Amino acid sequence: MSLSRREFLKSSAAASAAAAIGMSVPAELEANANAAESNWRWDKAACRFCGTGCGIMLATTGDGKDRKIVAVKGDPAAPVNRGLNCIKGYFNAKIMYGADRLTQPLLRMNDKGEFDKKGKFAPISWKRAYDEMEKNIRKALKESGPEGVAVFASGQYTIMEGYAAQKMMKAGFRSNAIDPNARHCMASAVVGFYQTFGIDEPSGCYDDIELTDTIVTWGSNMAEMHPILWSRVTDRKLSDPDNVKIVNIQTYTHRTCDLGDFNIIFRPNTDLALWNYLAREIVYNHPEAIDWDFIKKNIIFAAGPVNIGYGFRRAGEKSLLPVREDGSAGKYDAKEMQIYNKEMQKVVSGLEGPALEPYGYKEGDVMHNTPGTLKHWEISFEDYKKSLAPYTLEYTAELCKGDPEESLDSFKKKLQDLAALYIEDGRKVVSFWTMGMNQHTRGTWDNTLSYNVHFMLNKQARPGSGAFSLTGQPSACGTAREVGTFCHRLPADLMVKNPKHRAIAEKKWHIPAGTLNPVGNQHIMKIHRDIEDGIVKFAWVNVCNAYQDSANAKHWVKAAREMDNFIVTSDGYPGISAMVSDLILPSAMIYEKWGAYGNAERRSQHWRQQVLPVGNAMSDTWQWVELSKRFTVDDLWGPYTLRNGKKLADVRAAAVKMGYSGDTTMYEILYANERAKKNYPLALDQFPQKGYDNSECIGDDRNVVGTDGKVFKGYGFMIHQYLWEEYASFGRGHGHDLADFVTYHKVRGLKWPVVNGKETAWRFNVNFDPYAAKHAKENGRGSEFAFYGPLAKALPHGNLTGVQDKKKKPLTDKAKIFARPYMDPPEMPDEEYNLWLCTGRVLEHWHSGTMTMRVPELYRAVPEALVYMNPKAAKERGLKDNDLCWVESRRGRVRARVETRGRNRPPKPLVFVPWFDERVFINKVTLDQTCPMSKQTDYKKCAVKIYKA
């Protein structure tokens, strides 16, 4: 008897679920499932959402334009998730099929069909779209040089997309004004890695969860933000509940806290003091716990300046002029300037005074700030010890206790119990953190402090022990960090300011020496500010929602709409950034293209294109490659003078000597060059290409009319493989080794460095890392470790207040323990704005909700962002559950509903509002403060008032 489609799907789902948990499947059910899946094609892929990097299986059926994804399940062979998905993961297919999916380019136009910045969106061709982009890019280059062309990039790019974008921006337009939204989520972790290890990304891996005895979360709601990893933590806890301990260190109580043996609720920003308290307990009260053999062989102590500001605009910038008598300045009102003025100078408070005394400041002193610097110097252990002196149990508890209703004695006991867990001999400890530590005006300091405790106890880079940053986005590691799509980076930890690094990139890209721009300071917040200042004239939003996800958003939205500029957004859906733009381009979504991601444990994963894009959508790789056809050597490689007076040389004559001509396009140089076409031909009858669509390389059944007005028939070579292999060549032999393109299609990802076909689980440990073994043998110190990162490995010497001996001493294969004090954030609750505001995510929605709010099941589960409040705080303001209230800061206000009994349970002084809901546009309220070293925005701490709407 035939089955209905619904019965088919139910049978298949039931059989899959039963098999996943090891149940025997009734013969009839198995037969029905087999019948249901008879024409399904299953293939592996990576989940579209967080940085965990779960593997999924996708089932598709149909042909050509009619092929659709019909099922998604966890991949049992994937080592990260072992067949499990979180609630978002199960809806990977539905994010692609929302009713308002963008299917064609849209341009703001007047009634005559001309571009009009105040016009309404109307459909146009890809050719018209690129004509407008080309015209406005040429205008921007003429008026502002390379600094006038900018890209809001993403940790959600595929690796190939990010690499393609970087090549065109940095080698083509000679612009370093490309910066990913990953700047908002893990830049502080990156700088922490660089400063501590000299190389980026974690030393451990997810296997630490099963091997450890203790898990401490610092500002990380793993239960909702990394639910699959939390399932592994839960399994570890329940497998040995008496020995395994879980401690959560947070500013409010949430779902992760439900598993904690105890939870520490701290005052926002004071996690700096908590880390220093732990270090002080070790140094002053348990010196026997310090592994001095490890320290002497592998570690030095370091410090840096403390008067580094808060990453705001600085006095004299265009949009802060003129300064008026009422306290306002330029485009910023007086209330905003109350906070921004602290960028120039501040008064040391009573809270931070004791912590700053070892550095030469005391309460009441005026601290004159200079812009954040990465400079640091070596100090003695005795100086480091002095930096820890203030963090007694009494000072730390008084400073850090975040819940007024908790007794001081209770809080002190928790601090002591926490220290005991870290210090206990033989106890393995993993410290996990996410945005709570990274989104912090001293985020880089916070990250380095985490390693201090682990280093002193020799509990870092060992199976089951280590400090571990959990990245937020699916390829923030793989595309933002490893590819180097930051304004200051190049692939594999190379830096644009380093002439040797630029030379390496120029050679690999076959472009003239001197082409690359050495000035890379246009991070995401600076791009926004440069648009407001009229410097950036063309900005392109790629795979992100830059106008919803940036703090103090009303300034940037206003600048985009009212300044003389041209804003483009490529997206799958019309989010806030698309609505702010002048031109919208429809992007292919994740399984409509070939791609690769890199996750938080250094695991690179690839997938194949499963279905054709909807409408006329095309991938971001295609969009970048098509743009490269519009610009030639003569167009882009002439001389420029940058804002700081630096000159970019005219390299056109050198290009001719290399065999190019003045009218050679960037397409021919950067993408469709002889290396690409010769070494990476199409192999449609071979694995992994056989049987799979490839819209960029061979075109597809939609017959999309491309940017030249002709039906796009493909590039004729395997551009995805070319981009991967060229990018991978930067890291091979340099501690960033990646496997070849075909291998990744055979495996469920590999953790780099991949040496002789084997992945590396624990870096810097000679027992697991071939690079560590090699370096340890060469340096002859007889150590079990080699911290071989090459950056900042020669330092001058000084004390806590500055450099005393400028002669640099090499620190071969050593890591660093840093002295870093507690400091207040620039904005704290006061009489008028009397609550802390913290923003973040919820389990059901991803970032700005652009995709997940289109999934009916996820939308119904959490249809709006709520203001999570302490019930007593709500009552004091005349509010109760479901009341509408205003959340107002010095920058703006939004209206939302109150929730006092939900999953998030703040103490009285704090409220939590997630940012996924564009109708509750909470980033109009937040403050664009950043860590001055990493430029990462702090969304977790600003002051608000709440009142009934």
Side-chain angles (χ1 to χ4, degrees):
M1 184 176 70
S2 64
L3 295 173
S4 69
R5 180 176 182 275
R6 180 176 176 82
E7 289 170 329
F8 268 29
L9 295 175
K10 286 172 65 178
S11 297
S12 178
S16 295
I21 61 174
M23 287 176 57
S24 60
V25 181
E28 183 180 1
L29 180 62
E30 186 172 12
N32 288 344
N34 290 336
E37 298 185 16
S38 61
N39 65 341
W40 291 7
R41 180 186 73 188
W42 287 97
D43 198 26
K44 73 176 181 71
C47 178
R48 174 60 179 80
F49 298 110
C50 77
T52 300
C54 293
I56 63 172
M57 297 296 292
L58 296 171
T60 58
T61 187
D63 294 303
K65 289 186 289 185
D66 297 324
R67 180 173 285 278
K68 291 287 186 289
I69 300 174
V70 293
V72 179
K73 63 183 179 182
D75 183 356
V80 171
N81 55 311
R82 304 166 186 176
L84 290 175
N85 280 159
C86 77
I87 187 64
K88 291 190 296 296
Y90 285 114
F91 290 106
N92 265 286
K94 283 198 172 185
I95 64 173
M96 295 162 51
Y97 300 123
D100 60 343
R101 183 75 193 272
L102 294 168
T103 60
Q104 55 190 329
L106 302 169
L107 178 68
R108 289 187 183 274
M109 292 193 289
N110 59 25
D111 293 340
K112 298 178 182 179
E114 303 164 330
F115 166 66
D116 184 340
K117 197 166 180 71
K118 295 184 179 179
K120 295 182 179 180
F121 285 112
I124 57 171
S125 67
W126 277 107
K127 182 178 185 302
R128 172 73 188 279
Y130 271 62
D131 289 345
E132 296 289 345
M133 290 172 71
E134 178 187 345
K135 178 174 69 177
N136 282 281
I137 290 171
R138 290 182 185 277
K139 177 184 173 185
L141 289 169
K142 183 177 181 181
E143 293 184 18
S144 297
E147 292 163 307
V149 177
V151 173
F152 294 104
S154 180
Q156 299 171 63
Y157 272 141
T158 70
I159 287 172
M160 293 77 153
E161 287 168 347
Y163 185 68
Q166 173 168 236
K167 284 191 79 175
M168 185 58 200
M169 280 297 287
K170 294 179 180 176
F173 294 130
R174 308 177 80 180
S175 172
N176 292 322
I178 174 173
D179 210 55
N181 58 359
R183 176 73 69 177
H184 294 313
C185 80
M186 32 51 66
S188 291
V190 173
V191 181
F193 281 121
Y194 279 153
Q195 293 226 315
T196 302
F197 299 98
I199 191 172
D200 192 13
E201 301 204 23
S203 51
C205 63
Y206 297 159
D207 292 351
D208 287 325
I209 294 170
E210 282 75 31
L211 298 172
T212 195
D213 307 311
T214 316
I215 291 169
V216 185
T217 67
W218 293 75
S220 177
N221 185 358
M222 286 179 71
E224 294 201 55
M225 305 311 123
H226 298 88
I228 297 303
L229 294 182
W230 194 242
S231 72
R232 291 174 63 171
V233 170
T234 302
D235 181 65
R236 175 66 183 130
K237 171 65 176 174
L238 297 180
S239 69
D240 189 3
D242 293 332
N243 178 57
V244 174
K245 302 298 180 185
I246 309 291
V247 183
N248 301 293
I249 303 173
Q250 317 291 342
T251 59
Y252 62 95
T253 302
H254 44 59
R255 286 180 171 176
T256 299
C257 299
D258 294 342
L259 193 65
D261 288 274
F262 60 93
N263 303 301
I264 294 174
I265 305 300
F266 68 96
R267 186 204 306 254
N269 224 64
T270 61
D271 42 353
L272 295 157
L274 292 175
W275 279 119
N276 279 320
Y277 162 76
L278 293 175
R280 188 187 190 282
E281 280 296 294
I282 295 167
V283 169
Y284 281 81
N285 298 329
H286 296 276
E288 75 284 353
I290 301 174
D291 189 330
W292 278 109
D293 182 62
F294 170 82
I295 295 291
K296 289 174 181 176
K297 288 179 179 177
N298 300 291
I299 302 295
I300 64 101
F301 297 88
V306 297
N307 59 330
I308 58 176
Y310 302 100
F312 293 132
R313 282 187 173 280
R314 292 191 64 80
E317 293 184 15
K318 187 174 180 180
S319 291
L320 289 185
L321 294 173
V323 178
R324 305 180 187 91
E325 289 185 4
D326 66 357
S328 65
K331 298 175 181 177
Y332 293 77
D333 66 31
K335 282 193 172 183
E336 290 179 281
M337 291 307 298
Q338 289 173 4
I339 307 303
Y340 290 127
N341 285 331
K342 294 182 182 180
E343 178 64 19
M344 277 56 76
Q345 65 180 46
K346 60 159 289 179
V347 177
V348 175
S349 76
L351 289 176
E352 63 192 348
L356 287 170
E357 280 191 22
Y359 300 83
Y361 294 92
K362 63 181 183 301
E363 180 182 355
D365 284 353
V366 175
M367 178 182 285
H368 296 278
N369 294 322
T370 56
T373 175
L374 300 179
K375 291 180 180 178
H376 54 281
W377 50 87
E378 186 174 358
I379 62 173
S380 67
F381 170 72
E382 289 305 316
D383 277 322
Y384 174 66
K385 187 175 180 179
K386 287 178 188 175
S387 78
L388 300 177
Y391 302 96
T392 61
L393 180 61
E394 289 69 24
Y395 171 68
T396 306
E398 289 276 3
L399 173 66
C400 299
K401 187 169 75 71
D403 185 352
E405 298 183 315
E406 181 177 11
S407 74
L408 194 62
D409 286 343
S410 168
F411 193 79
K412 286 180 178 179
K413 185 177 186 306
K414 289 178 182 178
L415 296 185
Q416 291 172 314
D417 290 346
L418 177 67
L421 288 174
Y422 273 101
I423 292 168
E424 183 182 328
D425 187 33
R427 174 171 284 277
K428 298 176 183 178
V429 186
V430 176
S431 302
F432 283 122
W433 67 90
T434 318
M435 298 307 105
M437 269 176 56
N438 290 343
Q439 291 177 346
H440 197 302
T441 54
R442 294 294 182 266
T444 299
W445 290 7
D446 222 356
N447 273 263
T448 57
L449 288 175
S450 69
Y451 302 115
N452 292 0
V453 171
H454 283 269
F455 278 150
M456 284 193 287
L457 301 170
N458 194 0
K459 294 184 180 183
Q460 180 69 31
R462 290 185 176 278
S465 280
F468 196 118
S469 166
L470 290 171
T471 287
Q473 298 186 76
S475 201
C477 287
T479 308
R481 296 159 77 167
E482 294 159 24
V483 171
T485 51
F486 286 93
C487 65
H488 64 291
R489 288 179 70 166
L490 292 163
D493 284 342
L494 302 183
M495 302 291 170
V496 298
K497 71 177 181 180
N498 187 318
K500 293 180 180 178
H501 291 182
R502 295 197 303 276
I504 291 169
E506 287 164 346
K507 184 175 181 180
K508 286 188 179 293
W509 290 344
H510 290 242
I511 61 177
T515 301
L516 294 182
N517 182 344
V519 180
N521 60 13
Q522 285 175 279
H523 54 87
I524 270 193
M525 291 314 304
K526 185 164 175 56
I527 291 173
H528 278 306
R529 293 165 185 168
D530 280 351
I531 293 173
E532 189 176 51
D533 284 349
I535 301 298
V536 167
K537 299 291 188 180
F538 177 93
W540 191 0
V541 180
N542 281 193
V543 205
C544 67
N545 197 343
Y547 286 90
Q548 187 174 340
D549 72 21
S550 292
N552 200 2
K554 72 174 186 180
H555 274 276
W556 325 129
V557 170
K558 184 177 181 180
R561 294 305 312 131
E562 297 182 5
M563 298 292 291
D564 175 23
N565 54 45
F566 192 77
I567 311 295
V568 183
T569 290
S570 295
D571 207 338
Y573 292 103
I576 287 178
S577 294
M579 293 299 97
V580 163
S581 298
D582 302 301
L583 173 66
I584 304 171
L585 303 180
S587 284
M589 293 183 70
I590 179 168
Y591 310 118
E592 297 170 341
K593 56 194 177 187
W594 291 65
Y597 280 160
N599 81 344
E601 63 167 354
R602 294 172 280 108
R603 183 181 299 276
S604 307
Q605 304 182 82
H606 286 234
W607 67 89
R608 298 181 277 199
Q609 183 176 341
Q610 302 296 318
V611 293
L612 298 187
V614 301
N616 289 320
M618 294 297 285
S619 76
D620 291 81
T621 299
W622 181 87
Q623 292 177 35
W624 274 103
V625 174
E626 290 300 294
L627 186 64
S628 73
K629 295 176 178 179
R630 298 287 184 123
F631 296 92
T632 67
V633 167
D634 280 344
D635 291 333
L636 301 182
W637 286 358
Y640 291 103
T641 301
L642 303 177
R643 273 180 290 180
N644 65 358
K646 286 199 173 185
K647 307 279 187 180
L648 295 185
D650 186 334
V651 296
R652 290 173 294 183
V656 171
K657 290 181 181 179
M658 294 178 70
Y660 306 132
S661 66
D663 59 1
T664 302
T665 65
M666 293 297 124
Y667 171 68
E668 297 167 281
I669 297 171
L670 301 178
Y671 306 110
N673 49 58
E674 288 305 311
R675 305 182 309 283
K677 292 185 285 188
K678 177 182 177 182
N679 296 326
Y680 306 102
L682 293 174
L684 302 179
D685 59 343
Q686 298 175 26
F687 178 86
Q689 298 178 41
K690 186 177 181 179
Y692 284 82
D693 292 309
N694 197 327
S695 295
E696 295 95 334
C697 298
I698 60 175
D700 59 48
D701 293 346
R702 296 173 302 152
N703 291 318
V704 173
V705 177
T707 62
D708 59 359
K710 301 174 183 178
V711 172
F712 180 71
K713 296 294 186 181
Y715 297 125
F717 66 98
M718 190 55 178
I719 192 169
H720 315 292
Q721 188 172 11
Y722 163 62
L723 292 171
W724 172 264
E725 294 295 348
E726 185 179 85
Y727 148 66
S729 71
F730 279 85
R732 289 175 181 149
H734 306 288
H736 273 271
D737 306 64
L738 296 161
D740 64 274
F741 181 83
V742 174
T743 292
Y744 282 107
H745 285 282
K746 297 177 180 177
V747 300
R748 263 57 175 187
L750 294 169
K751 298 187 288 289
W752 61 265
V754 181
V755 181
N756 297 324
K758 295 181 180 180
E759 65 180 4
T760 300
W762 290 275
R763 289 199 301 166
F764 313 127
N765 187 317
V766 300
N767 298 305
F768 302 97
D769 182 348
Y771 278 95
K774 176 177 178 287
H775 279 257
K777 184 177 180 180
E778 289 173 352
N779 67 37
R781 293 200 310 267
S783 176
E784 188 182 350
F785 299 89
F787 298 103
Y788 51 78
L791 299 177
K793 286 301 181 71
L795 295 180
H797 198 280
N799 57 26
L800 293 174
T801 61
V803 173
Q804 294 173 310
D805 181 355
K806 293 182 179 180
K807 185 177 180 181
K808 290 186 176 182
K809 173 185 172 183
L811 315 167
T812 305
D813 293 341
K814 289 190 175 186
K816 301 164 192 169
I817 287 177
F818 278 91
R820 309 286 205 194
Y822 162 77
M823 289 185 72
D824 294 339
E827 184 174 69
M828 301 172 72
D830 56 21
E831 194 169 316
E832 182 178 2
Y833 300 97
N834 52 21
L835 291 167
W836 292 102
L837 168 68
C838 179
T839 68
R841 293 198 287 116
V842 294
L843 170 65
E844 293 83 357
H845 289 296
W846 175 245
H847 282 199
S848 60
T850 309
M851 295 178 289
T852 53
M853 288 287 272
R854 266 81 181 180
V855 177
E857 293 86 347
L858 298 177
Y859 176 81
R860 286 195 298 268
V862 184
E864 61 182 329
L866 302 172
V867 181
Y868 292 94
M869 291 186 74
N870 183 283
K872 292 182 180 179
K875 186 176 181 180
E876 289 173 0
R877 291 160 178 80
L879 296 166
K880 60 182 184 300
D881 274 357
N882 211 40
D883 279 352
L884 282 170
C885 72
W886 288 107
V887 181
E888 182 178 332
S889 73
R890 289 174 172 86
R891 293 154 294 282
R893 68 176 188 170
V894 297
R895 193 170 65 166
R897 295 189 186 278
V898 172
E899 175 61 73
T900 65
R901 295 173 294 182
R903 63 179 81 179
N904 300 303
R905 291 150 279 167
K908 279 184 67 177
L910 183 142
V911 296
F912 173 77
V913 183
W915 68 280
F916 68 84
D917 189 349
E918 63 184 36
R919 298 161 303 178
V920 181
F921 191 178
I922 196 62
N923 276 327
K924 291 195 297 185
V925 175
T926 53
L927 176 63
D928 57 318
Q929 56 194 344
T930 72
C931 168
M933 300 169 77
S934 70
K935 318 304 181 192
Q936 178 164 355
T937 316
D938 186 346
Y939 299 91
K940 303 297 182 184
K941 295 167 281 294
C942 72
V944 298
K945 59 184 173 183
I946 293 183
Y947 51 93
K948 199 161 189 174

